[in-house]
Amino acid sequence: MLFNYIKIAWKVLLRHPFYTFITLFGITLTLTVLMVLTSFIDHLLGSHYPEYKRDKSLYIMNLTIQDSARSSMNNSPLSYNFIKEHIQKLKTPEKVGFSTFVSFANSYLNGKKIKLNTKFCDANFWEVTDYEFLEGKPFNEQNIANGEHVVVITDAIKKQYFEDETASAVGKSIEIDNEKFRVIGVVKAAPVTRLMTFSDVFFPYNLPKSNYQTAGLQGNFTAIVLAKSKSDFKAIQEEFNASVNRIPLPIALYGQKYDVIEVRAQTYTDTVLHTFMSGGREIYFYIGIVFILLILMGLPAINLVNLNVSRIMERASEIGIRKAFGAPSSALAWQFIIENIFITMIGGSFALILTLIIISIFNDSGLILHADLSINFSVFGVSLLVCLVFGLLSGVVPALRMSKMKVIDALKSS
Amino acid sequence: MIKLSNIEKVYQTSNIETLALNNINIDIKKGEFVSIMGPSGCGKSTLLNIMGLLDEPSNGTIAIDNKPVEKFTDKDLAYLRNQKIGFIFQSFHLINDLSILDNVEIPLLYRTSTNKSRREAAKEALEKVGLSNRMKHFPNQLSGGQKQRVAIARAIVGNPEIILADEPTGNLDSAMGNEILNILLQLNAAGSTIVMVTHDENMAKKTHRLIRLFDGTQVS
């Protein structure tokens, strides 16, 4: 039966090459946009290098203090002290790592300035993340305790800084902001979009320039809390919140008193959304995404519905014949839905090829530093689902109209 | 087998009412070969379509195997058409995008059967009408007579008890028309109940009973 339907769908496609081209062009274009968009969202929010454990991690990025009237607010990353007292002491997580946000430094090579993204981090940072060490190793607690001037650099920086790419950079010296550091490890560079982990060079957190000993709750650091499993998230959040609730209030800062502390251990997606859309406005992001998807899928689907409905008469004879020989309306409705899904799947295949080409060009373009957009199983799964929804959307209305035709009217119209 | 009582069919356009069938009472017995004759536009095809549950009467009742069908759902009617009735149309009504074999298989698609058994039944039906060598051809590669034989194969593939033929020889020359009539006579001899609309008096004479219509009214 299914084969019969697909055979008919294929013949209908071949019958009018121009119409088929227009239909497939529309479907392909729509699905390509959706697949590229899905791939981009996955690139931003999915678990990718060097954060493969994102789905098992909670992120603590900012700490906000407010006065009781909520008229004055101070929002900033965390201080080392806060991390030490309220995050590192948590018992539920498997591990806690921390680092600063990216800052900038300069290095000079043969008179040429190299601008570097820098980050200060602790030894556990290398365990809660998944940086691939191409050479050497990460700095450890001992290196940090000794106050060693060591640094981990990326392969991209190694390529820029050291003339001989084939020789190991480990043990060599690199001068950054007029200070010399010994290269201890070389990692594969991560995309700039990995907000919590991206950098060109990584220093131990206790080097003087990190200002890690600032007093108070706020500073330059963010923390990644690795859970034993995703199911521990709630327990970790409860333990963390309980610890924060023990902080004596009010807090005095720059002559102002603050009575409310707001700090959250959240999944990466929630953290990002909360940062860019504070005050519970994350919902607008989801509404926006749904709206864009509906527009992107809805308009071509409506167009396809119109095209399909206008072609009902062309298939009327077939509908009449099938009904005369015992096809119930539901079977016919399914036939046309399956046909539409089949056509959408063909469009989806073209879209997949087009998407692979587009993201390959995008990755090579350097628009996003070290971008690694890809079509992985989840992106492919979402794309497949989108194809199915699109096929259903554009197939149901024509299918219902076709299947409700009276047998005799359908036969006569041919 | 098929009982029509007080059948009336009215076609309504914006302000004109046309009475296509008026007070028709017919009882077709099992195993009969009945022909329906009358001038063009007298309602022969409308009557056959109502008999075959392809169209609804404006008034009156239809009973198949003594069961009135007025309250049957779309699904029930589809089931009845699929199991009990086979149609042969004057203009063949074959699906041009499907091969001969696929066309003949259509009634079996809506039954619970395996792909293999469907194929075998369709081949057998095509053999009966002498077209087993054309199975992979498409309708537009066949002559009118061959198309009608495909239509007969499709009508008999599911072994229905009733075959309704609407001018099955209307588009054929007389030699081909006789050939088709012979196939129908053989099917009737094998037990099928057949109702045939025809314009040809000679063909009608070869059937068991003749019903004549004039202006939508049964005259004999």
Side-chain angles (χ1 to χ4, degrees), chain B residues 165-176:
Chain B
D166 189 2
E167 299 196 45
T169 59
N171 279 344
L172 308 175
D173 60 38
S174 60
M176 202 58 80

PDB file of all heavy atoms in Angstrom, chain B residues 165-176:
ATOM      1  N   ALA B 165     -22.061  -2.617 -14.703  1.00  0.00           N
ATOM      2  CA  ALA B 165     -21.341  -2.173 -15.901  1.00  0.00           C
ATOM      3  C   ALA B 165     -22.123  -1.048 -16.579  1.00  0.00           C
ATOM      4  O   ALA B 165     -23.274  -1.237 -16.978  1.00  0.00           O
ATOM      5  CB  ALA B 165     -21.148  -3.352 -16.844  1.00  0.00           C
ATOM      6  N   ASP B 166     -21.472   0.128 -16.670  1.00  0.00           N
ATOM      7  CA  ASP B 166     -22.139   1.287 -17.269  1.00  0.00           C
ATOM      8  C   ASP B 166     -21.665   1.438 -18.714  1.00  0.00           C
ATOM      9  O   ASP B 166     -20.567   1.930 -18.963  1.00  0.00           O
ATOM     10  CB  ASP B 166     -21.793   2.532 -16.462  1.00  0.00           C
ATOM     11  CG  ASP B 166     -22.614   3.733 -16.890  1.00  0.00           C
ATOM     12  OD1 ASP B 166     -23.464   3.585 -17.787  1.00  0.00           O
ATOM     13  OD2 ASP B 166     -22.403   4.821 -16.321  1.00  0.00           O
ATOM     14  N   GLU B 167     -22.502   1.001 -19.633  1.00  0.00           N
ATOM     15  CA  GLU B 167     -22.170   1.007 -21.066  1.00  0.00           C
ATOM     16  C   GLU B 167     -20.748   0.504 -21.305  1.00  0.00           C
ATOM     17  O   GLU B 167     -19.900   1.232 -21.856  1.00  0.00           O
ATOM     18  CB  GLU B 167     -22.358   2.415 -21.645  1.00  0.00           C
ATOM     19  CG  GLU B 167     -23.811   2.875 -21.514  1.00  0.00           C
ATOM     20  CD  GLU B 167     -24.112   4.079 -22.405  1.00  0.00           C
ATOM     21  OE1 GLU B 167     -23.693   4.050 -23.564  1.00  0.00           O
ATOM     22  OE2 GLU B 167     -24.778   5.001 -21.922  1.00  0.00           O
ATOM     23  N   PRO B 168     -20.472  -0.710 -20.964  1.00  0.00           N
ATOM     24  CA  PRO B 168     -19.098  -1.215 -21.061  1.00  0.00           C
ATOM     25  C   PRO B 168     -18.608  -1.329 -22.497  1.00  0.00           C
ATOM     26  O   PRO B 168     -17.403  -1.412 -22.729  1.00  0.00           O
ATOM     27  CB  PRO B 168     -19.175  -2.594 -20.406  1.00  0.00           C
ATOM     28  CG  PRO B 168     -20.590  -3.015 -20.549  1.00  0.00           C
ATOM     29  CD  PRO B 168     -21.406  -1.761 -20.488  1.00  0.00           C
ATOM     30  N   THR B 169     -19.554  -1.343 -23.462  1.00  0.00           N
ATOM     31  CA  THR B 169     -19.116  -1.476 -24.850  1.00  0.00           C
ATOM     32  C   THR B 169     -19.341  -0.173 -25.620  1.00  0.00           C
ATOM     33  O   THR B 169     -19.138  -0.127 -26.825  1.00  0.00           O
ATOM     34  CB  THR B 169     -19.885  -2.617 -25.536  1.00  0.00           C
ATOM     35  OG1 THR B 169     -21.294  -2.304 -25.474  1.00  0.00           O
ATOM     36  CG2 THR B 169     -19.644  -3.950 -24.862  1.00  0.00           C
ATOM     37  N   GLY B 170     -19.749   0.859 -24.907  1.00  0.00           N
ATOM     38  CA  GLY B 170     -20.122   2.133 -25.544  1.00  0.00           C
ATOM     39  C   GLY B 170     -19.000   2.763 -26.344  1.00  0.00           C
ATOM     40  O   GLY B 170     -19.255   3.420 -27.349  1.00  0.00           O
ATOM     41  N   ASN B 171     -17.766   2.580 -25.913  1.00  0.00           N
ATOM     42  CA  ASN B 171     -16.645   3.215 -26.619  1.00  0.00           C
ATOM     43  C   ASN B 171     -15.895   2.235 -27.520  1.00  0.00           C
ATOM     44  O   ASN B 171     -14.776   2.518 -27.921  1.00  0.00           O
ATOM     45  CB  ASN B 171     -15.647   3.776 -25.592  1.00  0.00           C
ATOM     46  CG  ASN B 171     -16.109   5.127 -25.068  1.00  0.00           C
ATOM     47  OD1 ASN B 171     -16.982   5.758 -25.664  1.00  0.00           O
ATOM     48  ND2 ASN B 171     -15.549   5.551 -23.960  1.00  0.00           N
ATOM     49  N   LEU B 172     -16.532   1.079 -27.796  1.00  0.00           N
ATOM     50  CA  LEU B 172     -15.801   0.034 -28.543  1.00  0.00           C
ATOM     51  C   LEU B 172     -16.505  -0.304 -29.849  1.00  0.00           C
ATOM     52  O   LEU B 172     -17.723  -0.104 -29.980  1.00  0.00           O
ATOM     53  CB  LEU B 172     -15.690  -1.239 -27.688  1.00  0.00           C
ATOM     54  CG  LEU B 172     -15.124  -1.060 -26.268  1.00  0.00           C
ATOM     55  CD1 LEU B 172     -15.195  -2.386 -25.524  1.00  0.00           C
ATOM     56  CD2 LEU B 172     -13.696  -0.561 -26.320  1.00  0.00           C
ATOM     57  N   ASP B 173     -15.740  -0.841 -30.806  1.00  0.00           N
ATOM     58  CA  ASP B 173     -16.394  -1.289 -32.046  1.00  0.00           C
ATOM     59  C   ASP B 173     -17.163  -2.575 -31.758  1.00  0.00           C
ATOM     60  O   ASP B 173     -17.012  -3.187 -30.685  1.00  0.00           O
ATOM     61  CB  ASP B 173     -15.369  -1.453 -33.171  1.00  0.00           C
ATOM     62  CG  ASP B 173     -14.298  -2.469 -32.843  1.00  0.00           C
ATOM     63  OD1 ASP B 173     -14.635  -3.502 -32.216  1.00  0.00           O
ATOM     64  OD2 ASP B 173     -13.117  -2.233 -33.167  1.00  0.00           O
ATOM     65  N   SER B 174     -17.967  -3.015 -32.723  1.00  0.00           N
ATOM     66  CA  SER B 174     -18.889  -4.105 -32.414  1.00  0.00           C
ATOM     67  C   SER B 174     -18.166  -5.417 -32.112  1.00  0.00           C
ATOM     68  O   SER B 174     -18.578  -6.170 -31.220  1.00  0.00           O
ATOM     69  CB  SER B 174     -19.894  -4.291 -33.569  1.00  0.00           C
ATOM     70  OG  SER B 174     -19.181  -4.602 -34.746  1.00  0.00           O
ATOM     71  N   ALA B 175     -17.056  -5.686 -32.821  1.00  0.00           N
ATOM     72  CA  ALA B 175     -16.324  -6.942 -32.567  1.00  0.00           C
ATOM     73  C   ALA B 175     -15.797  -6.950 -31.137  1.00  0.00           C
ATOM     74  O   ALA B 175     -15.960  -7.933 -30.395  1.00  0.00           O
ATOM     75  CB  ALA B 175     -15.178  -7.073 -33.561  1.00  0.00           C
ATOM     76  N   MET B 176     -15.198  -5.824 -30.757  1.00  0.00           N
ATOM     77  CA  MET B 176     -14.650  -5.714 -29.400  1.00  0.00           C
ATOM     78  C   MET B 176     -15.781  -5.728 -28.375  1.00  0.00           C
ATOM     79  O   MET B 176     -15.653  -6.334 -27.299  1.00  0.00           O
ATOM     80  CB  MET B 176     -13.849  -4.395 -29.300  1.00  0.00           C
ATOM     81  CG  MET B 176     -12.827  -4.373 -28.211  1.00  0.00           C
ATOM     82  SD  MET B 176     -11.616  -5.686 -28.361  1.00  0.00           S
ATOM     83  CE  MET B 176     -10.542  -5.005 -29.601  1.00  0.00           C
TER      84      MET B 176
END
